[in-house]
Amino acid sequence: MLWPWGTTNSPAPNGAALQTLGRKFAFFNGYQPTQSIGLYATDGTSDGPSYGELGVAAFTFELGTSFFQSCAVYDSTIKPGNLPALIYAAKVVRTPYLTPAGPDVTALALAAGAEAPGVAAGTPVALTATVSDARFNNSNGAEAVQAIAGAEYSIGLAPWESGAVMRPLAAADGSFDAITENITGSIDTTGLPAGRHLVYVRGRDASGALGAVSAAWITVTTPPEIGEVEPNDSLAQATVVAAMPVRVNATLPNIRGVPRDRDFYRLSVPAGRTLAAAMTPGAGANYGIELYNATRQLIARGSDGGIAGTDRLNWTNSGSSAATVYLLVLAPRAVGSGTSTTYRVDLSAD
């Protein structure tokens, strides 16, 4: 696994970064990483002028075990043995002198069904992965490694693209302090349009180096939609939600001086499933959501208590049979300008 220069023992201006990337390639294919002259002196090989004249991070992969390699050996051994290194090269080609120093994301997995058949918008999607700063071939000197310091993800846009929003992920054991860490997180799909969306994940080590991204697909489906059935301001009158996932479209007065209206929805949550509710109010409203059991005991409350914006709650049925629960949408304070305001609730039970 060779990099410039091949005519001198002196390192290239980017010699340290070329060595880091060479040791990363060699981790994947098991080859010996060395500056080109370490094999034998060469002059005019393509990696020399590609780097020297154009600044390209250029490498030579010395492939195979024979000058005239058989196609069978190439297809069965050489190509599959080098393909992971070439895929890594594609990941870091944008910043080859920076990214290889950062940690790799491996074993990236999303919750079952996230790609197919997909999830309704607003459904949280569990993410797990491993982040490691130790993936170098140290057979010819040792590459410096650091503890993992963090991990993050973006949806739809790669981290370096304008408009990308990075969201943090957590260490599975509660703290980032090891060279290799398992990470976890919950992907927020609220507001995503129907279709496939790439989730980009990357790690950061204690030196501040950001590693290559890995990615996985989430498919957002369009849930069926229903409307409320008025009056539904009590448990006895609750609008029945027959199946989930579903989106409920409704209206609630948000007018100063008008008694608070409230909307109840009756749901059935199967045993062992987690109800996820995301309520998004119309402009100017600050509705909230709460969850009650059949005896009207409060069992869950929205995450923001009805402050303007999407309010979410999750509740797991830990019983051995389906549970009937009631979702309440209400306006904690009337702040509207004199008209009723629409809202929507996205419901799922996974």
Side-chain angles (χ1 to χ4, degrees):
M1 196 66 255
L2 309 173
W3 58 86
W5 303 116
T7 57
T8 174
N9 286 308
S10 299
N14 297 98
L18 290 166
Q19 176 176 265
T20 296
L21 181 49
R23 286 173 173 166
K24 184 74 76 170
F25 287 150
F27 170 85
F28 292 106
N29 60 20
Y31 291 7
Q32 175 82 351
T34 182
Q35 185 175 319
S36 186
I37 200 170
L39 183 61
Y40 50 78
T42 57
D43 184 12
T45 52
S46 61
D47 55 13
S50 295
Y51 170 75
E53 296 183 20
L54 302 175
V56 173
F59 290 79
T60 296
F61 285 57
E62 287 275 358
L63 301 174
T65 57
S66 173
F67 193 80
F68 293 104
Q69 194 75 62
S70 73
C71 292
V73 172
Y74 175 80
D75 286 339
S76 66
T77 304
I78 296 172
K79 183 174 74 173
N82 280 277
L83 191 57
L86 297 175
I87 291 172
Y88 184 82
K91 286 186 174 187
V92 302
V93 68
R94 182 177 174 273
T95 50
Y97 300 127
L98 297 175
T99 303
D104 296 340
V105 176
T106 65
L108 174 60
L110 301 181
E115 180 176 4
V119 299
T123 303
V125 176
L127 176 152
T128 60
T130 299
V131 182
S132 179
D133 206 45
R135 287 157 58 89
F136 298 100
N137 183 323
N138 292 320
S139 61
N140 184 20
E143 195 71 22
V145 297
Q146 292 83 30
I148 304 304
E152 57 190 5
Y153 77 92
S154 61
I155 302 178
L157 294 172
W160 52 86
E161 293 185 276
S162 177
V165 177
M166 304 309 300
R167 297 177 173 88
L169 296 164
D173 63 1
S175 61
F176 287 108
D177 54 12
I179 293 172
T180 299
E181 291 276 5
N182 293 322
I183 61 172
T184 62
S186 181
I187 307 298
D188 183 3
T189 64
T190 301
L192 290 180
R196 302 180 79 208
H197 303 269
L198 264 181
V199 178
Y200 298 87
V201 181
R202 67 179 179 181
R204 183 182 71 257
D205 67 23
S207 74
L210 291 163
V213 300
S214 290
W217 288 105
I218 286 179
T219 302
V220 175
T221 60
T222 302
E225 298 187 8
I226 64 172
E228 64 174 329
V229 178
E230 289 281 7
N232 60 346
D233 55 359
S234 69
L235 267 63
Q237 298 171 314
T239 297
V240 176
V241 177
M244 294 181 280
V246 69
R247 171 171 288 180
V248 179
N249 297 304
T251 302
L252 199 64
N254 194 39
I255 307 169
R256 293 187 187 278
V258 174
R260 289 192 306 171
D261 189 15
R262 58 190 64 213
D263 293 338
F264 279 96
Y265 299 91
R266 190 175 78 192
L267 318 170
S268 179
V269 181
R273 300 288 186 89
T274 296
L275 170 69
M279 186 281 304
T280 304
N286 63 342
Y287 304 146
I289 51 177
E290 298 173 348
L291 192 68
Y292 293 84
N293 63 17
T295 60
R296 195 156 183 178
Q297 292 178 312
L298 179 67
I299 55 177
R301 178 175 278 124
S303 57
D304 70 5
I307 302 202
T310 300
D311 201 12
R312 301 179 180 85
L313 65 78
N314 292 279
W315 177 79
T316 300
N317 178 10
S318 57
S320 58
S321 59
T324 298
V325 293
Y326 295 83
L327 184 76
L328 169 63
V329 181
L330 75 164
R333 296 180 299 276
V335 297
S337 59
T339 61
S340 297
T341 303
T342 60
Y343 67 87
R344 71 173 188 266
V345 184
D346 291 302
L347 298 166
S348 63
D350 299 317

